[in-house]
Amino acid sequence: MRTRVTDMFGIELPIFAFSHCRDVVAAVSRAGGMGVLGALYFTPEELEMELKWIDDHVDGRPYGVDVVMPASYEGADLGVDSPEELVARLQGMIPDGHRRFVENLLAEHGVPPLSGGADAGRVLLGWTDATARPQVETALKHPIALLANALGPPPKDVVDLAHSKGVKVAALASTPRHAIKQVEVGVDVVVAQGTEAGGHTGEISTMVLIPQVVDAVDVPVLAAGGIGSGRQMAAGMALGAEGVWTGSLWLTVEEADTPEHARQKILKATSRDTVRSRSWTGKPARLLKNEWTEAWESAESPGTLPMPLQFMLISGALRRIGDSDAAELATFPAGQIIGSMNQVKSAKDVVFGLVEEYIEAIERLDRLTGD
């Protein structure tokens, strides 16, 4: 398979795998695609350890790092460069009523406090420019091939810095207008992500979005959102994409560090069991639908807060839920493709399965147009 992105990165397969799990990233890169590590939940020190491990286990194959540097967020106009000061200022902007709502919700489900107290240093991590830049600096110390921004166009100086180190830059877009803005700041690859995707996602479906973005920009486009099979990969390529960006697909592979209760939920879920909700970060994100997402839509809800205040509000609650037996509250990003994810396979087998089904789909189309 030869496209501009395979030539750009020297990979065999135009399959990009976003995951917060280093084992998945390394496995996909070794299989001929490109693993992309989500840096969001790591401190710079933790990210350094994760990337050092990947360096040692990727067999010299290219891999990438994904950060979150939103173009707009609450507190962006405070003029604060210190992550610690920014956290302190933002904490004071969270209403007491919202804090009580979260505590009452946890109490209703018997969720105990964290042992040893809350880790206040983890409430923000990479959700702002000030907190994401240390992650970028750490990533660029390693031999990464790609730096991706998951939420809007990355800052121009970050793009230039990556380019100065020979690193390509990608960014996710949910509209053609967003894609154009990203190319204007120098992005090398646009990921056109339809509303079917897990995590932050827009309102336009993948089938509609991809050709619009392909027509709007002259850089390679990756198809994202609802890509979980070779047939869907072939559809994305037929629409003009030069590769695919996948995420939810890797939540249930053998190498994934997905908690077992969450893995079982995904394996049993249908494509109707997800919802776009602001209850995770304050911006619309597709999550697995459960009692957590429903509570934030209830009459008792005070409403969600803007990014990054919402995640700061709930970060401790999410850790408490993860440490408890309250699986009915465990929320996490998941795309509509989970309705087809009902087996646990190795990452390598998933990659090869994508390729085999892609070839079958292309051959089927060839037969339709043959003599």
Side-chain angles (χ1 to χ4, degrees):
M1 300 176 68
R2 287 288 300 276
T3 70
R4 282 189 290 176
V5 293
T6 59
D7 292 342
M8 183 182 291
F9 296 106
I11 55 180
E12 300 168 29
L13 306 169
I15 298 172
F16 292 71
F18 168 84
S19 176
H20 291 288
C21 178
R22 65 188 188 184
D23 298 80
V24 173
V25 170
V28 172
S29 287
R30 289 196 304 267
M34 179 180 285
V36 181
L37 182 71
L40 178 65
Y41 297 120
F42 300 116
T43 66
E45 295 76 20
E46 291 168 341
L47 182 59
E48 171 64 30
M49 290 188 291
E50 298 296 298
L51 297 182
K52 178 63 170 64
W53 186 94
I54 294 175
D55 292 341
D56 294 339
H57 291 81
V58 80
D59 295 345
R61 301 293 185 93
Y63 71 95
V65 172
D66 178 283
V67 297
V68 179
M69 302 184 79
S72 62
Y73 55 90
E74 196 75 9
D77 58 348
L78 292 176
V80 177
D81 295 325
S82 164
E84 293 77 15
E85 183 181 351
L86 180 60
V87 168
R89 296 277 294 274
L90 292 174
Q91 286 281 23
M93 298 168 65
I94 299 176
D96 290 340
H98 282 72
R99 296 185 190 277
R100 287 194 297 270
F101 175 77
V102 172
E103 286 300 324
N104 290 340
L105 179 59
L106 297 179
E108 288 172 8
H109 292 268
V111 179
L114 286 173
S115 58
D119 183 359
R122 306 191 66 86
V123 299
L124 189 53
L125 294 181
W127 291 111
T128 69
D129 185 282
T131 51
R133 284 181 181 271
Q135 296 174 332
V136 171
E137 293 172 4
T138 300
L140 292 177
K141 293 177 183 177
H142 291 261
I144 65 172
L146 175 69
L147 180 68
N149 188 43
L151 203 59
K156 181 67 166 60
D157 67 296
V158 171
V159 175
D160 293 342
L161 177 61
H163 285 166
S164 73
K165 296 181 178 296
V167 176
K168 301 296 185 183
V169 180
L172 277 68
S174 58
T175 69
R177 181 173 60 87
H178 293 159
I180 292 171
K181 285 185 176 182
Q182 291 165 355
V183 173
E184 287 175 347
V185 300
V187 162
D188 303 285
V189 178
V190 170
V191 181
Q193 179 171 274
T195 191
E196 299 94 324
H200 294 114
T201 187
E203 300 178 34
I204 305 175
S205 71
T206 301
M207 181 70 74
V208 173
L209 179 65
I210 294 171
Q212 290 183 354
V213 172
V214 168
D215 291 345
V217 299
D218 58 2
V219 302
V221 173
L222 301 179
I227 309 294
S229 71
R231 285 177 291 174
Q232 290 158 331
M233 180 177 174
M237 305 286 270
L239 293 170
E242 299 188 45
V244 294
W245 178 278
T246 56
S248 300
L249 183 60
W250 311 102
L251 290 171
T252 57
V253 296
E254 292 174 357
E255 295 88 344
D257 57 1
T258 306
E260 189 56 31
H261 66 81
R263 190 195 305 267
Q264 291 305 315
K265 276 190 171 185
I266 295 170
L267 292 172
K268 296 175 182 177
T270 73
S271 294
R272 297 183 63 184
D273 292 327
T274 70
V275 63
R276 286 177 77 239
S277 170
R278 294 179 182 268
S279 64
W280 183 42
T281 68
K283 289 184 181 289
R286 188 169 297 282
L287 312 174
L288 192 67
K289 183 166 52 178
N290 63 3
E291 293 187 31
W292 172 272
T293 58
E294 291 174 356
W296 284 96
E297 296 297 327
S298 69
E300 293 76 22
S301 170
T304 57
L305 298 172
M307 176 180 275
L309 300 181
Q310 180 68 15
F311 186 80
M312 294 179 69
L313 168 68
I314 71 168
S315 61
L318 295 181
R319 295 197 302 279
R320 288 169 60 181
I321 293 167
D323 289 348
S324 73
D325 296 325
E328 69 278 6
L329 289 180
T331 185
F332 47 86
Q336 291 181 330
I337 192 59
I338 62 173
S340 303
M341 294 163 52
N342 48 30
Q343 289 182 310
V344 177
K345 302 178 181 179
S346 71
K348 180 179 178 180
D349 285 345
V350 170
V351 171
F352 290 172
L354 285 171
V355 174
E356 290 172 2
E357 190 175 359
Y358 170 86
I359 293 171
E360 291 173 359
I362 296 301
E363 290 176 343
R364 186 183 310 117
L365 291 176
D366 285 342
R367 289 194 296 272
L368 292 176
T369 59
D371 294 333

